[in-house]
């Protein structure tokens, strides 16, 4: 699709026990410093996005014989962090400027077990239906969304000052 790009990131790997507390500390420090670094033009669009995506998600899951997934505020918050980062950086990515990958962000947000992340960038009016359809048309994203191991999800978006809308979805059990 023109003007739209997608990536997906799945799965987990084990980190040392000390990594989670260190990551949590870094997240709190980054959260405080990020308040001033998002800059003008980064507009959070997240309000109610997960609830808006619920019908699309569960219609796709039902059509494929998979149990419904429930919205999760913690997963939406993790998705919002990544959407905001991508909007502030002006690029779609699974890592942050400090090199934090999905697994370290998952652990910092206390998301246990298997989890996956879908990200996308879209130019124009934000439309969760279009994003959900785009993810379902991509084999890796579709696999994440239809994985029966993931029973909860959160979706968020943020826009930059050029009108690009950055989307993130985090799925977990």
């Amino acid at each position: 699709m023109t003007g739209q790009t997608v990536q997906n990131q799945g799965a987990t790997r084990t980190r040392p026990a000390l990594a989670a507390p260190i990551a949590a500390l870094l997240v709190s420090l980054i959260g405080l410093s990020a308040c001033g670094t998002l800059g003008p033009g980064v507009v959070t669009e997240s309000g109610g996005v997960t609830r808006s995506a619920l019908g699309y998600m569960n219609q796709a899951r039902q059509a494929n014989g998979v149990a419904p997934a429930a919205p999760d505020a913690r997963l939406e918050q993790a998705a919002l962090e990544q959407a905001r980062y991508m909007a502030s950086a002006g690029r779609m990515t699974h890592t942050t400027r400090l090199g934090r990958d999905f697994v370290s962000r998952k652990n910092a947000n206390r998301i246990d077990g298997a989890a996956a992340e879908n990200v996308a960038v879209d130019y124009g009016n934000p439309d969760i239906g279009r994003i959900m359809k785009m993810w379902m048309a991509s084999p890796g994203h579709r696999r994440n969304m239809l994985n029966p191991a993931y029973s909860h999800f959160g979706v968020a978006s943020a826009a930059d000052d050029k009108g690009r809308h950055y989307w993130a979805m985090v799925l977990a059990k």
Side-chain angles (χ1 to χ4, degrees):
M1 299 182 156
T2 335
Q4 299 171 341
T5 312
V6 294
Q7 293 180 345
N8 73 10
Q9 180 79 24
T12 60
R13 62 181 182 248
T14 308
R15 296 277 184 177
L18 189 53
I22 291 170
L25 174 63
L26 286 174
V27 166
S28 64
L29 293 173
I30 292 166
L32 291 173
S33 67
C35 293
T37 61
L38 288 178
V42 177
V43 180
T44 301
E45 304 273 353
S46 186
V49 175
T50 300
R51 291 256 177 230
S52 299
L54 185 61
Y56 296 102
M57 174 67 103
N58 286 333
Q59 181 180 17
R61 289 172 69 96
Q62 181 181 15
N64 288 277
V66 181
D72 185 290
R74 188 174 38 107
L75 299 177
E76 184 170 329
Q77 181 59 39
L80 180 58
E81 289 173 12
Q82 189 60 15
R84 282 179 175 162
Y85 171 72
M86 292 186 298
S88 69
R91 65 186 179 96
M92 185 179 62
T93 181
H94 287 286
T95 58
T96 66
R97 69 184 158 273
L98 297 176
R100 293 182 63 223
D101 64 2
F102 174 64
V103 173
S104 63
R105 289 184 289 106
K106 176 182 94 75
N107 293 337
N109 282 287
R110 302 179 200 276
I111 300 167
D112 297 322
E117 176 180 72
N118 290 348
V119 297
V121 61
D122 189 21
Y123 304 87
N125 294 328
D127 181 348
I128 187 60
R130 186 173 64 241
I131 295 301
M132 296 295 283
K133 289 173 187 169
M134 184 173 64
W135 279 331
M136 283 300 292
S138 163
H141 296 96
R142 179 184 181 87
R143 186 173 39 255
N144 286 344
M145 292 168 67
L146 299 180
N147 188 330
Y150 306 139
S151 57
H152 293 83
F153 75 104
V155 180
S157 73
D160 68 11
D161 57 357
K162 294 178 176 74
R164 294 177 294 212
H165 296 270
Y166 293 86
W167 297 84
M169 172 188 278
V170 178
L171 305 105
K173 61 179 183 170

